[in-house]
Amino acid sequence: MKASHPTSLSAPKVSRASHAKSQPLVVAHRCLAIAAAISASSWCAAQEAATMPPAPRDTITLQSGYFSGDYANNVDYAQVVLEQSRGTERLARWVYESNKDKFDSPVNRTAFFLGANIVNFIGNSFIPYHEWGHASRMEAGGQRAQFFTSSDAIDPAPSRGFLGYAGNMLFKFSGATGSADAKSIFKANNESGRARYGIVNGAGVNNEIFLAERNDEQYFLKGNGGVFGIFNSENRFAIAQYVTWGPDSAGNDMNNITRSYRQSGVDRNIQPDDLRKINLLSAFSGAVVSDVLARRDFIVDGKTDAQPWLIKGFLVPNQYNYLSSRGITRKWMSGYAFSDSLKILGSYESVVRGDDYAEFGLGAYKDFGTWDVYAKVTGKDFDTLNLEAAASTYVAKDWKLGLKAYVWDSRSLLGERNTLDFSKNKTQQLSVALSYVY
C-alpha cells in the first residue's frame, strides 16, 4: 500500500508483492485446494467411519451473507478459510490412519507431519482473505475496491464478492494483490483514532490474525481438534512475518502504517521492527503450547487428536495483536468450561503503542444436543458495544440450519475491523446458514 498522509486519505494502490507465488507452486495450491474441498465431504467422512477412530466433527457451510454483494462480512468469510483448512486436515488424518504401518517411527511421522502442513499451507485461502481485509475496509470507508489477479492484470469485476475473488484466483492460477481507485477518498468514523488510513493498511494482517483467534476460539468450544490443522493458530504471527518477508516497496503495509502512526502523532517513534517484536510476544499463548504438545504426541506416539490447554476448566490465555487507527493492540482471550456443553469466553484488548484505549468482551456458548446458541458482546462501554450472536439446530441427521446476527460499532477496535459502513456508528447484518456436519 502506498503511503497516505493522515489528512489525505486517497489510496492509489495496495501492493502485495510479498504474496506472489511461482507458477508451479500456485498450480499446486489450487489443485490441492480443490482436492481438500472434495475430500472433506461425505466421502471422507465415510472412509473415516470405516477405517479410523471418530474425528472431531467439522462443517461445510453456505451462508446468505456470502451473496450479499456489499463486502459483508469479514467474520463469515473467515469460516470459509477455516473450513477449507479443516477439510485438508481431515484428508491428512485419513491418509495417516489408513497407512499407519508405513509411519511406524518418529522419523517417518515427522516427515508425514511436515508434508501434511505444507499441503495445508499451500491449500489455504489466506491470501485472498488477506486482500479481502484491505478491500472490505476500503469499501466500508467509501472507496471503490479493486482486486488484481497479478501485478498488472485487473479483475474485470471489481465489486464481486469474496467467493468470486477467491474463485478467480483459483482458476486463473495467479498470485493476488488488491487496489483502490486512485480518486476515491477513505472516510473513517469521526471518532476513529488519528491514524485513520491505518485501518486499511493493517487490515490484511488483521484478517490473518483473526483466523488464528477464531480458530482458537472454536478449538476451545469444540474441546478438541486435529494435529494436522493447527497451522491456522500460527497466523497470530502475521505482523512479524510481514515485517520479515514483506515487499521492499512503496506498497509495504507495515512501512505505511508505522509512517501513519508517526505522522499523525499516534506514536512519533514507532518503526516496523517494533511491530515485529510486539507481535512475537504472542508466542506466550496457551494455544502455542498446546500446538507444541500435540506435535510432540503425534511424532512420539502417533496421536492425531489435539486438545486446548485447560487448567481446572480455565483456558490458558491466548494473545493476538491487531493494527488499529489508535496504534498496535494486544488482545487476550480466555474462557471457562463448566462442561463440554456450556462454556464462557472473555477478552481484553488494549493499545500497547499509541493512544490510551481498551475494550472488554464477554461471551457464552451452550450446546443443547439438537441445537446450540452462541453470543458475545465487546466494547469499551455500553454505547460502543458490538454483538455477535448465532443459533443453529439440526434439521436432518447431518444438516444444521442456523441464524447469525451482527452489530458492529465503527468507533471500537473490533468494530473498525468489521463494520460495513464507517459513516454510521452502528451497522447490522443478519444471515442464514446451512451447514453439512461431517
Side-chain angles (χ1 to χ4, degrees):
M1 295 176 66
K2 293 185 177 178
S4 297
H5 191 278
T7 59
S8 175
L9 301 181
S10 60
K13 199 167 189 177
V14 178
S15 174
R16 298 294 301 139
S18 63
H19 279 161
K21 296 183 177 180
S22 64
Q23 193 73 4
L25 181 56
V26 172
V27 172
H29 172 184
R30 312 308 177 202
C31 294
L32 285 166
I34 295 172
I38 294 173
S39 301
S41 64
S42 57
W43 173 84
C44 187
Q47 296 298 314
E48 288 176 349
T51 62
M52 58 185 284
R57 303 203 77 181
D58 293 302
T59 58
I60 299 174
T61 305
L62 190 64
Q63 304 188 61
S64 61
Y66 294 166
F67 309 102
S68 61
D70 61 356
Y71 283 78
N73 79 53
N74 216 31
V75 173
D76 283 348
Y77 287 129
Q79 194 64 24
V80 176
V81 185
L82 292 176
E83 288 182 353
Q84 180 188 19
S85 177
R86 289 167 186 163
T88 308
E89 190 277 332
R90 291 290 287 269
L91 176 61
R93 177 187 170 98
W94 175 75
V95 171
Y96 171 77
E97 295 286 357
S98 300
N99 298 275
K100 264 188 174 182
D101 57 326
K102 298 177 182 177
F103 305 103
D104 57 355
S105 71
V107 173
N108 289 344
R109 285 192 290 270
T110 299
F112 184 88
F113 177 83
L114 293 174
N117 276 269
I118 291 172
V119 170
N120 202 340
F121 174 76
I122 64 177
N124 196 299
S125 291
F126 77 91
I127 294 177
Y129 188 59
H130 175 114
E131 301 305 337
W132 182 263
H134 293 305
S136 70
R137 298 307 83 210
M138 292 172 183
E139 292 278 338
Q143 290 185 302
R144 177 70 165 180
Q146 294 176 316
F147 291 121
F148 280 71
T149 53
S150 67
S151 60
D152 56 3
I154 193 168
D155 182 337
S159 292
R160 67 174 56 195
F162 175 78
L163 297 181
Y165 173 44
N168 201 7
M169 291 178 62
L170 177 68
F171 294 109
K172 287 191 176 182
F173 299 103
S174 57
T177 60
S179 77
D181 187 284
K183 296 181 180 179
S184 58
I185 302 297
F186 179 82
K187 297 179 181 179
N189 190 289
N190 290 333
E191 297 182 45
S192 296
R194 289 171 287 173
R196 295 187 176 181
Y197 207 70
I199 295 170
V200 176
N201 291 133
V205 292
N206 283 349
N207 266 21
E208 292 186 53
I209 292 166
F210 179 69
L211 289 175
E213 180 185 344
R214 184 47 58 106
N215 182 74
D216 293 346
E217 178 183 288
Q218 293 179 357
Y219 186 31
F220 168 62
L221 296 180
K222 289 170 58 178
N224 57 15
V227 67
F228 306 118
I230 58 181
F231 160 76
N232 286 301
S233 181
E234 296 173 1
N235 281 324
R236 75 183 68 249
F237 302 114
I239 294 172
Q241 292 167 354
Y242 194 109
V243 172
T244 304
W245 295 303
D248 185 17
S249 68
N252 185 294
D253 295 337
M254 300 305 100
N255 288 344
N256 289 339
I257 196 168
T258 50
R259 184 183 300 113
S260 181
Y261 287 157
R262 294 192 301 270
Q263 292 177 344
S264 65
V266 167
D267 189 319
R268 297 291 187 185
N269 301 309
I270 197 165
Q271 299 292 334
D273 197 55
D274 296 318
L275 302 183
R276 181 186 66 84
K277 292 176 181 177
I278 291 170
N279 187 217
L280 288 176
L281 291 175
S282 291
F284 295 98
S285 294
V288 174
V289 176
S290 63
D291 289 353
V292 171
L293 294 177
R295 294 172 183 180
R296 181 205 63 186
D297 290 345
F298 173 72
I299 291 170
V300 175
D301 300 318
K303 296 179 180 178
T304 56
D305 289 334
Q307 288 80 36
W309 186 12
L310 304 181
I311 297 178
K312 296 186 181 298
F314 287 95
L315 176 67
V316 176
N318 295 313
Q319 296 186 65
Y320 317 92
N321 298 111
Y322 290 102
L323 300 173
S324 77
S325 62
R326 297 177 172 90
I328 183 171
T329 75
R330 185 175 306 283
K331 184 173 185 177
W332 294 90
M333 189 269 285
S334 184
Y336 181 76
F338 291 95
S339 65
D340 289 342
S341 61
L342 177 61
K343 299 178 181 181
I344 59 172
L345 294 160
S347 66
Y348 175 73
E349 182 175 6
S350 63
V351 177
V352 293
R353 285 286 298 265
D355 298 336
D356 183 13
Y357 194 95
E359 59 190 36
F360 300 85
L362 183 64
Y365 169 80
K366 174 62 179 175
D367 185 350
F368 293 93
T370 57
W371 63 287
D372 56 83
V373 292
Y374 166 93
K376 184 165 61 175
V377 292
T378 307
K380 181 179 181 179
D381 49 37
F382 184 80
D383 189 46
T384 59
L385 282 183
N386 301 270
L387 169 68
E388 301 172 68
S392 64
T393 184
Y394 279 94
V395 292
K397 180 182 178 182
D398 296 315
W399 293 90
K400 296 183 80 172
L401 185 64
L403 186 66
K404 295 186 175 183
Y406 303 95
V407 178
W408 305 117
D409 192 294
S410 59
R411 299 165 293 180
S412 67
L413 297 172
L414 177 64
E416 76 174 29
R417 297 193 291 266
N418 295 287
T419 185
L420 307 182
D421 188 347
F422 279 102
S423 69
K424 302 174 182 177
N425 288 343
K426 302 283 187 182
T427 54
Q428 304 84 28
Q429 186 176 23
L430 191 68
S431 65
V432 178
L434 180 66
S435 299
Y436 174 65
V437 185
Y438 67 98

